Each structure stands twice: as structure tokens, then as C-alpha cells.
Amino acid sequence: MENALPSPGDVFDAACPSRRALELISGKWVPLILPALEHGPLRNNELLRRLDGISQKVMTQTLRELERHGLVLREDLGTVPPHVRYRLSELGRSLNVVLVALDRWAERHHAALDAAARQHDAPAAAPPRASRRS
């Protein structure tokens, strides 16, 4: 079959290449970088301002990895000093749909997650002590 699509894979199989895809997109900043680019290209500093808490170094490394895997396109604006813009590729847009849903889920449910963690971490009520009689 010449035009057969590749197998979808099995993420539960350690040898499956789909594991690398999951590792790429499950990083701390990927679920924020791609949705930040959802409405059009952004220059480096615009993206850095949008992503509160990310360092320039980490953002650059993450963008390079996303570009390498075809999720983000880098456009050199040909200026001095050099300026570049980043935008989603078609593949990046298809992933972004899922990531935006994940971001909205986190925004809606963070309080419930925190409450569950507090309840889990609270010390169990100590059993009543028996009184000592002399």
C-alpha cells in the first residue's frame, strides 16, 4: 500500500514514537506557548511578556524545539538589530485546539484541585485519648 497512512501508534508502548510526541507537548511551557500564538504571529519580546514567569533562555529553547518539530514557524524580519516572529504552523494549529481546551479546563478546575490536595494533605483526626486514672 503505497499511500497508506502511518500507524497511529500506541502511547502505552515504551518503544512507540508517539511517546516522543507526548514528551514534546507535555512540557511546562508548550501548553502556554502555542495558545499564546493562537491569534497570530508574535515577536520574541511580545511572547516573553505574554508568558509570565518564563525565562528568555527557556522560551528560546522551547521555541527551537517546537520549530524543529514543525509546530511553530520562525520568520526572520530581516532587520538590524535582528527581529523574528513566531507563528503556529498547520500542525501547531491542530495541536493548539487540544491545548486551549486543556488551558480552559485548568482555569475552571484549579480551585477544586487545590481543595482536594489540601484535604488529602490534612493530618487525619487523631483518635480521642483515653483519660488516665490514678
Side-chain angles (χ1 to χ4, degrees):
M1 297 182 92
E2 230 173 84
N3 294 326
L5 292 175
S7 166
D10 179 0
V11 295
F12 296 105
D13 179 353
C16 183
S18 62
R19 281 273 182 103
R20 289 191 305 277
L22 276 180
E23 289 170 8
L24 171 68
I25 65 174
S26 65
K28 178 178 180 178
W29 295 105
V30 172
L32 300 173
I33 288 175
L34 293 184
L37 295 171
E38 177 178 30
H39 298 296
L42 291 176
R43 287 185 31 200
N44 188 294
N45 284 336
E46 294 169 319
L47 194 52
L48 194 60
R49 281 191 299 274
R50 179 93 168 99
L51 300 173
D52 188 30
I54 192 171
S55 70
Q56 177 68 61
K57 177 183 176 183
V58 169
M59 189 179 75
T60 299
Q61 289 170 338
T62 306
L63 285 166
R64 283 182 183 156
E65 207 49 28
L66 293 171
E67 181 185 7
R68 178 174 179 252
H69 288 91
L71 295 168
V72 168
L73 301 172
R74 180 181 182 272
E75 177 187 5
D76 186 339
L77 299 177
T79 61
V80 177
H83 292 291
V84 297
R85 280 194 304 212
Y86 296 93
R87 64 183 171 87
L88 295 176
S89 66
E90 285 298 318
L91 186 60
R93 277 196 276 287
S94 70
L95 173 58
N96 191 54
V97 172
V98 177
L99 295 179
V100 167
L102 181 63
D103 289 348
R104 297 301 82 82
W105 185 93
E107 291 168 349
R108 281 192 304 275
H109 298 289
H110 67 87
L113 294 171
D114 291 344
R118 281 192 304 277
Q119 182 177 0
H120 179 271
D121 296 343
R129 290 184 155 189
S131 62
R132 291 189 183 170
R133 293 190 181 158
S134 304

PDB file of all heavy atoms in Angstrom, residues 118-128:
ATOM      1  N   ARG A 118      -5.415  19.911  49.530  1.00  0.00           N
ATOM      2  CA  ARG A 118      -5.418  20.322  50.951  1.00  0.00           C
ATOM      3  C   ARG A 118      -6.090  19.270  51.813  1.00  0.00           C
ATOM      4  O   ARG A 118      -5.615  18.933  52.888  1.00  0.00           O
ATOM      5  CB  ARG A 118      -6.115  21.670  51.118  1.00  0.00           C
ATOM      6  CG  ARG A 118      -5.264  22.866  50.756  1.00  0.00           C
ATOM      7  CD  ARG A 118      -5.887  24.177  51.214  1.00  0.00           C
ATOM      8  NE  ARG A 118      -7.240  24.385  50.706  1.00  0.00           N
ATOM      9  CZ  ARG A 118      -7.518  24.875  49.500  1.00  0.00           C
ATOM     10  NH1 ARG A 118      -6.542  25.206  48.676  1.00  0.00           N
ATOM     11  NH2 ARG A 118      -8.767  25.051  49.115  1.00  0.00           N
ATOM     12  N   GLN A 119      -7.205  18.739  51.341  1.00  0.00           N
ATOM     13  CA  GLN A 119      -7.922  17.715  52.097  1.00  0.00           C
ATOM     14  C   GLN A 119      -7.068  16.455  52.225  1.00  0.00           C
ATOM     15  O   GLN A 119      -6.974  15.862  53.286  1.00  0.00           O
ATOM     16  CB  GLN A 119      -9.246  17.382  51.418  1.00  0.00           C
ATOM     17  CG  GLN A 119     -10.058  16.365  52.197  1.00  0.00           C
ATOM     18  CD  GLN A 119     -11.402  16.107  51.541  1.00  0.00           C
ATOM     19  OE1 GLN A 119     -11.735  16.687  50.508  1.00  0.00           O
ATOM     20  NE2 GLN A 119     -12.174  15.218  52.133  1.00  0.00           N
ATOM     21  N   HIS A 120      -6.411  16.080  51.165  1.00  0.00           N
ATOM     22  CA  HIS A 120      -5.556  14.891  51.187  1.00  0.00           C
ATOM     23  C   HIS A 120      -4.383  15.069  52.138  1.00  0.00           C
ATOM     24  O   HIS A 120      -3.987  14.140  52.837  1.00  0.00           O
ATOM     25  CB  HIS A 120      -5.036  14.589  49.777  1.00  0.00           C
ATOM     26  CG  HIS A 120      -4.143  13.407  49.705  1.00  0.00           C
ATOM     27  ND1 HIS A 120      -2.783  13.504  49.889  1.00  0.00           N
ATOM     28  CD2 HIS A 120      -4.412  12.097  49.489  1.00  0.00           C
ATOM     29  CE1 HIS A 120      -2.247  12.303  49.784  1.00  0.00           C
ATOM     30  NE2 HIS A 120      -3.208  11.438  49.536  1.00  0.00           N
ATOM     31  N   ASP A 121      -3.812  16.274  52.151  1.00  0.00           N
ATOM     32  CA  ASP A 121      -2.618  16.541  52.944  1.00  0.00           C
ATOM     33  C   ASP A 121      -2.908  16.865  54.411  1.00  0.00           C
ATOM     34  O   ASP A 121      -1.989  16.871  55.227  1.00  0.00           O
ATOM     35  CB  ASP A 121      -1.824  17.694  52.328  1.00  0.00           C
ATOM     36  CG  ASP A 121      -1.303  17.349  50.940  1.00  0.00           C
ATOM     37  OD1 ASP A 121      -1.277  16.158  50.587  1.00  0.00           O
ATOM     38  OD2 ASP A 121      -0.939  18.287  50.202  1.00  0.00           O
ATOM     39  N   ALA A 122      -4.165  17.140  54.737  1.00  0.00           N
ATOM     40  CA  ALA A 122      -4.512  17.482  56.122  1.00  0.00           C
ATOM     41  C   ALA A 122      -4.272  16.265  57.013  1.00  0.00           C
ATOM     42  O   ALA A 122      -4.583  15.134  56.639  1.00  0.00           O
ATOM     43  CB  ALA A 122      -5.969  17.919  56.206  1.00  0.00           C
ATOM     44  N   PRO A 123      -3.715  16.500  58.207  1.00  0.00           N
ATOM     45  CA  PRO A 123      -3.497  15.354  59.099  1.00  0.00           C
ATOM     46  C   PRO A 123      -4.839  14.735  59.479  1.00  0.00           C
ATOM     47  O   PRO A 123      -5.823  15.437  59.673  1.00  0.00           O
ATOM     48  CB  PRO A 123      -2.798  15.966  60.320  1.00  0.00           C
ATOM     49  CG  PRO A 123      -3.024  17.436  60.225  1.00  0.00           C
ATOM     50  CD  PRO A 123      -3.324  17.750  58.782  1.00  0.00           C
ATOM     51  N   ALA A 124      -4.841  13.423  59.538  1.00  0.00           N
ATOM     52  CA  ALA A 124      -6.065  12.718  59.921  1.00  0.00           C
ATOM     53  C   ALA A 124      -6.396  13.088  61.359  1.00  0.00           C
ATOM     54  O   ALA A 124      -5.513  13.310  62.183  1.00  0.00           O
ATOM     55  CB  ALA A 124      -5.861  11.212  59.787  1.00  0.00           C
ATOM     56  N   ALA A 125      -7.673  13.157  61.639  1.00  0.00           N
ATOM     57  CA  ALA A 125      -8.079  13.494  63.002  1.00  0.00           C
ATOM     58  C   ALA A 125      -7.560  12.424  63.952  1.00  0.00           C
ATOM     59  O   ALA A 125      -7.725  11.224  63.721  1.00  0.00           O
ATOM     60  CB  ALA A 125      -9.599  13.586  63.074  1.00  0.00           C
ATOM     61  N   ALA A 126      -6.900  12.879  64.991  1.00  0.00           N
ATOM     62  CA  ALA A 126      -6.332  11.941  65.964  1.00  0.00           C
ATOM     63  C   ALA A 126      -7.465  11.316  66.767  1.00  0.00           C
ATOM     64  O   ALA A 126      -8.431  11.988  67.122  1.00  0.00           O
ATOM     65  CB  ALA A 126      -5.363  12.676  66.884  1.00  0.00           C
ATOM     66  N   PRO A 127      -7.345  10.015  67.047  1.00  0.00           N
ATOM     67  CA  PRO A 127      -8.394   9.371  67.851  1.00  0.00           C
ATOM     68  C   PRO A 127      -8.390   9.972  69.255  1.00  0.00           C
ATOM     69  O   PRO A 127      -7.358  10.412  69.748  1.00  0.00           O
ATOM     70  CB  PRO A 127      -7.986   7.890  67.865  1.00  0.00           C
ATOM     71  CG  PRO A 127      -6.546   7.877  67.488  1.00  0.00           C
ATOM     72  CD  PRO A 127      -6.289   9.116  66.689  1.00  0.00           C
ATOM     73  N   PRO A 128      -9.545  10.026  69.887  1.00  0.00           N
ATOM     74  CA  PRO A 128      -9.590  10.602  71.236  1.00  0.00           C
ATOM     75  C   PRO A 128      -8.700   9.813  72.188  1.00  0.00           C
ATOM     76  O   PRO A 128      -8.643   8.584  72.103  1.00  0.00           O
ATOM     77  CB  PRO A 128     -11.068  10.530  71.616  1.00  0.00           C
ATOM     78  CG  PRO A 128     -11.721   9.652  70.609  1.00  0.00           C
ATOM     79  CD  PRO A 128     -10.806   9.526  69.436  1.00  0.00           C
TER      80      PRO A 128
END
